[in-house]
Coordinates of all heavy atoms in Angstrom, one line a residue:
V98 N 151.5 120.8 73.3 CA 151.5 119.4 73.3 C 151.8 118.9 71.9 O 152.6 118.0 71.6 CB 150.2 118.8 73.8 CG1 150.1 117.3 73.5 CG2 150.1 119.0 75.3
E99 N 151.2 119.5 70.9 CA 151.4 119.2 69.5 C 152.9 119.3 69.1 O 153.4 118.5 68.4 CB 150.5 120.0 68.5 CG 149.1 119.6 68.5 CD 148.2 120.5 67.7 OE1 148.8 121.5 67.0 OE2 147.0 120.3 67.7
A100 N 153.5 120.4 69.6 CA 155.0 120.6 69.2 C 155.8 119.5 69.8 O 156.7 119.0 69.2 CB 155.4 122.0 69.8
F101 N 155.5 119.1 71.0 CA 156.3 118.0 71.6 C 156.0 116.7 70.9 O 157.0 115.9 70.6 CB 155.9 117.8 73.1 CG 156.8 118.7 74.0 CD1 156.3 120.0 74.3 CD2 158.0 118.3 74.5 CE1 157.0 120.8 75.1 CE2 158.7 119.1 75.4 CZ 158.3 120.4 75.7
K102 N 154.8 116.5 70.5 CA 154.4 115.3 69.7 C 155.2 115.3 68.4 O 155.8 114.3 67.9 CB 153.0 115.1 69.5 CG 152.2 114.6 70.7 CD 150.8 114.3 70.3 CE 150.0 113.6 71.4 NZ 150.5 112.2 71.6
N103 N 155.2 116.4 67.7 CA 155.9 116.6 66.4 C 157.4 116.4 66.5 O 158.1 116.1 65.5 CB 155.5 117.9 65.8 CG 154.1 118.0 65.3 OD1 153.5 117.0 65.1 ND2 153.6 119.2 65.2
S104 N 158.0 116.6 67.7 CA 159.4 116.5 67.9 C 159.7 115.0 68.4 O 160.8 114.8 68.7 CB 160.0 117.5 68.9 OG 159.4 117.3 70.2
G105 N 158.7 114.2 68.4 CA 158.9 112.8 68.7 C 158.5 112.3 70.1 O 158.7 111.1 70.4
D106 N 157.9 113.2 70.9 CA 157.4 112.8 72.3 C 156.1 112.1 72.1 O 155.1 112.7 71.9 CB 157.4 113.9 73.2 CG 157.1 113.6 74.6 OD1 156.6 112.5 74.9 OD2 157.4 114.4 75.5
N107 N 156.1 110.8 72.2 CA 154.8 110.1 72.1 C 154.1 109.8 73.4 O 153.1 109.0 73.4 CB 155.1 108.7 71.3 CG 155.5 109.0 69.9 OD1 155.0 109.8 69.2 ND2 156.5 108.2 69.5
N108 N 154.7 110.3 74.4 CA 154.1 110.1 75.8 C 153.6 111.4 76.4 O 153.6 111.6 77.6 CB 155.1 109.5 76.7 CG 155.4 108.1 76.4 OD1 154.5 107.3 76.2 ND2 156.7 107.7 76.4
I109 N 153.0 112.2 75.5 CA 152.4 113.5 76.0 C 151.0 113.6 75.4 O 150.9 113.3 74.2 CB 153.3 114.7 75.7 CG1 152.8 116.0 76.4 CG2 153.5 114.9 74.2 CD1 153.8 117.1 76.5
Y110 N 150.1 114.1 76.1 CA 148.7 114.2 75.7 C 148.1 115.5 76.1 O 148.4 116.1 77.1 CB 147.9 113.0 76.4 CG 148.6 111.7 76.2 CD1 149.5 111.2 77.2 CD2 148.3 110.9 75.1 CE1 150.1 110.0 77.0 CE2 149.0 109.7 74.9 CZ 149.8 109.2 75.9 OH 150.5 108.0 75.7
F111 N 147.1 115.9 75.3 CA 146.3 117.1 75.7 C 144.9 116.6 76.0 O 144.3 115.9 75.2 CB 146.2 118.1 74.5 CG 145.3 119.3 74.8 CD1 145.7 120.2 75.7 CD2 144.1 119.4 74.2 CE1 144.9 121.3 76.1 CE2 143.3 120.4 74.5 CZ 143.6 121.4 75.4
W112 N 144.5 117.0 77.2 CA 143.1 116.7 77.7 C 142.3 118.0 77.7 O 142.7 118.9 78.5 CB 143.1 116.0 79.0 CG 143.7 114.7 79.1 CD1 144.0 113.9 78.0 CD2 144.0 113.9 80.3 NE1 144.6 112.6 78.5 CE2 144.5 112.7 79.8 CE3 143.9 114.1 81.6 CZ2 144.9 111.7 80.7 CZ3 144.3 113.2 82.5 CH2 144.8 111.9 82.1
D113 N 141.4 118.0 76.9 CA 140.5 119.2 76.8 C 139.5 119.2 77.9 O 138.6 118.5 77.9 CB 139.8 119.2 75.4 CG 139.0 120.5 75.2 OD1 138.8 121.3 76.1 OD2 138.6 120.7 74.0
G114 N 139.8 120.1 79.0 CA 138.9 120.1 80.1 C 137.4 120.5 79.7 O 136.5 120.2 80.5
E115 N 137.3 121.2 78.6 CA 135.9 121.6 78.2 C 135.1 120.4 77.9 O 133.9 120.4 78.1 CB 136.0 122.5 76.9 CG 134.7 123.1 76.6 CD 134.9 124.3 75.5 OE1 136.1 124.4 75.0 OE2 133.9 124.9 75.2
D116 N 135.7 119.3 77.5 CA 135.0 118.1 77.2 C 134.3 117.6 78.5 O 133.3 116.8 78.4 CB 135.9 116.9 76.7 CG 136.4 117.2 75.3 OD1 135.8 118.1 74.7 OD2 137.4 116.5 74.9
F117 N 134.8 117.9 79.7 CA 134.3 117.4 80.9 C 132.8 117.9 81.2 O 132.1 117.4 82.0 CB 135.1 117.7 82.1 CG 136.5 117.2 82.0 CD1 137.5 117.6 82.9 CD2 136.9 116.2 81.2 CE1 138.8 117.1 82.9 CE2 138.2 115.7 81.1 CZ 139.1 116.2 82.0
T118 N 132.5 119.0 80.5 CA 131.2 119.6 80.7 C 130.4 119.6 79.4 O 129.4 120.4 79.3 CB 131.2 121.0 81.3 OG1 132.2 121.8 80.6 CG2 131.7 120.9 82.7

Side-chain angles (χ1 to χ4, degrees):
V98 169
E99 284 176 4
F101 275 88
K102 282 188 170 294
N103 290 337
S104 68
D106 188 337
N107 294 317
N108 287 317
I109 191 164
Y110 309 91
F111 176 71
W112 291 350
D113 187 346
E115 190 168 6
D116 290 347
F117 300 168
T118 52

